[in-house]
Amino acid sequence: REAEAFKEQGNAYYAKKDYNEAYNYYTKAIDTCPNNASYYGNRAATLMMLGRFREALEDAQQSVRLDDSFVRGHLREGKCHLSLGNAMAASRCFQRVLELDHKNSQAQQELKNATTVLEYEKIAEVDFEKRDFRKVVFCMDRALEFAPACHRFKILKAECLALLGRYPEAQSVASDILRMDSTNADALYVRGLCLYYEDCIEKAVQFFVQALRMAPDHEKACLACRNAKALKAKKEDGNKAFKKGNYKLAYELYTEALGIDPNNIKTNAKLYCNRGTVNSKLRKLEEAIDDCTNAVKLDDTYVKAYLRRAQCYMDTEQYEDAVRDYEKVYQTEKTKEHKQLLKNAQVELKKSKRKDYYKILGVDKNASEDEIKKAYRKRALMHHPDRHSGASAEVQKEEEKKFKEVGEAFTILSDPKKKARYDSGQDLEEDGLNMGEFDPNNIFKAFFSGPGGFSFEASGPGNFFFQFG
C-alpha cells in the first residue's frame, strides 16, 4: 500500500510534467517494492521524458524481466532502443508487443519507424563510401528524427560536415556529445578533424592523441594523426629551406607535403601558395601563377594567394589579370596598400594599351638620353620611306608607318616632361599632343641637320642615298 501511494504521487507529478519529482516518487515505490514491473515501467517513461534513454532502457528491460507480458514495458524498451539508434533491437521489441497484442497500433507504427531508420543507415553507409557526404548528412538528419539520442548517427553527421568544410556545425555536434561524454573517442576524433582541416594542426594532433588514448584501435584517428604530423613536419621543413634561400629543396618539400592528404584543403592552399612563392623566386612565373590558381581554387578567400598571383601577372605584363586579382583583394580587405596596388595595376594596364615607345625604339625603360638618340638614329634610317622606294606598295606602307612611329617615340622620350607623363600613364593627347597631325619628316630633318649629322641627296626620281658627315 505504501509503494502504491508513492506510485500515485509519482503519477500526479508526471501529469503535471514535473518529471524530476515523478522520478523521485517512482524510485521510492521501487525501493519499497522492488519486484513490481509497472513501477519500473513508469520510471522508464519518466526518464525518457528527461532524455535519459540509457537509464530508461535499463528500467524498461527490468520491467519485462519481471513480467514478460507487460506490453508497455516492451514498447518502452523498443522506444529506448530506437532513440539510441539500435533499430534492430527496437524491431524485436515491437514484434514482441504485436505477439502479445497484434492490433497494437503504436507498435505497428514504431516498427515502421525502426525499418525506416535501418534503411537510412544502409543508404548512408553506401554514400559514405562514395564520398557523397551531403547525402549522408541528409540520411542522418532523417534517422535522428526517430533516434534523437543516437551518438553514432550524430558523429557520422559531424564527420561528414567536417569533410564538407562545414566546421562550425561539425564542432558544435561533437562538442555537445563531449559535454555528455568527455571520453567519446569518435567525438574527440571529429573535433581534431575540424581543427586539422582548419590548418590548426598542432591542436588537432592533441585531440587525435586523446582519442587514441580512449580507443587505441581507432583507425581513423590513427591515420589522421599520422597525416597531421607528417604534414606539419614537411611544411616546416619547406619553410626552413625557403628562409635559407634553398628554393629547389623548398619546392621539393612543399610538393611532397601536397601529396600527403588531398582532403586537407586549407593547408594545401597554403602549400600551393608557398610553392608559388618559390617558383616566383626561381623566376618560373607561369608555374607560380598555376600554383596560386590552385591555391585560390581550394580557398577562394585566400588573399595572400591572390596577391602573389597578381604580382606574377604584373611581372609577365598580364595586366588585365593583375587588375582582376587586385580588385578581388581590395573588395576583401580595403586597405591603403591594396588600393595603391590596384591603382598601379590599372595604370600599367592603361599604358599597355598604348603604343610602347620603348619597344618601338628598341630601348630599355631606363635608357639614357644618349641611348634614346642612338636608337632613333638607327631606326629612323632603317625605316625611312625613301630607303624602301623600290619595294612593293604594301612594304612601303608598312615602312612608312614604322618610320612615323619611330618619330613619335623619339618626340616623347627625348622630352623629359613628355616622357615623365608617358611613364606615369597619362593620356598625352589630353595634354595637347595630337599624334595624328604629327609629321615625322620634320623630326628626321631636325635630327640629321647640323654639324656632324647626316645629309641625303637625290640620286634619281624617288631614290636617296645617305651620306655620313
Side-chain angles (χ1 to χ4, degrees), residues 189-229:
Y189 160 70
V190 170
R191 282 284 286 118
L193 198 65
C194 291
L195 290 164
Y196 172 62
Y197 285 143
E198 288 183 291
D199 198 40
C200 300
I201 294 179
E202 203 165 323
K203 285 184 180 178
V205 169
Q206 292 173 7
F207 275 95
F208 294 144
V209 168
Q210 201 175 342
L212 289 167
R213 200 175 291 131
M214 299 302 159
D217 296 329
H218 199 296
E219 289 182 12
K220 289 181 178 179
C222 187
L223 177 62
C225 191
R226 189 163 62 244
N227 283 345
K229 286 178 177 178

Side-chain angles (χ1 to χ4, degrees), residues 366-385:
N366 299 314
S368 66
E369 191 177 335
D370 283 343
E371 287 171 330
I372 289 169
K373 285 180 179 178
K374 285 178 183 176
Y376 173 71
R377 181 190 298 268
K378 179 182 175 183
R379 297 289 172 115
L381 291 170
M382 186 187 300
H383 298 298
H384 195 287

Side-chain angles (χ1 to χ4, degrees), residues 234-235 237-243 245-259 271-282 284 287-288 290-291 294:
K234 285 288 181 192
K235 187 181 175 186
D237 288 346
N239 293 346
K240 285 175 187 174
F242 181 83
K243 284 175 184 175
N246 191 342
Y247 301 130
K248 187 179 177 184
L249 177 60
Y251 178 91
E252 290 172 1
L253 289 165
Y254 289 141
T255 302
E256 288 173 17
L258 281 164
L271 288 167
Y272 272 120
C273 188
N274 287 1
R275 197 173 74 174
T277 305
V278 170
N279 275 323
S280 70
K281 290 286 186 184
L282 294 168
K284 295 179 178 179
E287 288 92 332
D290 289 342
D291 276 339
N294 284 324

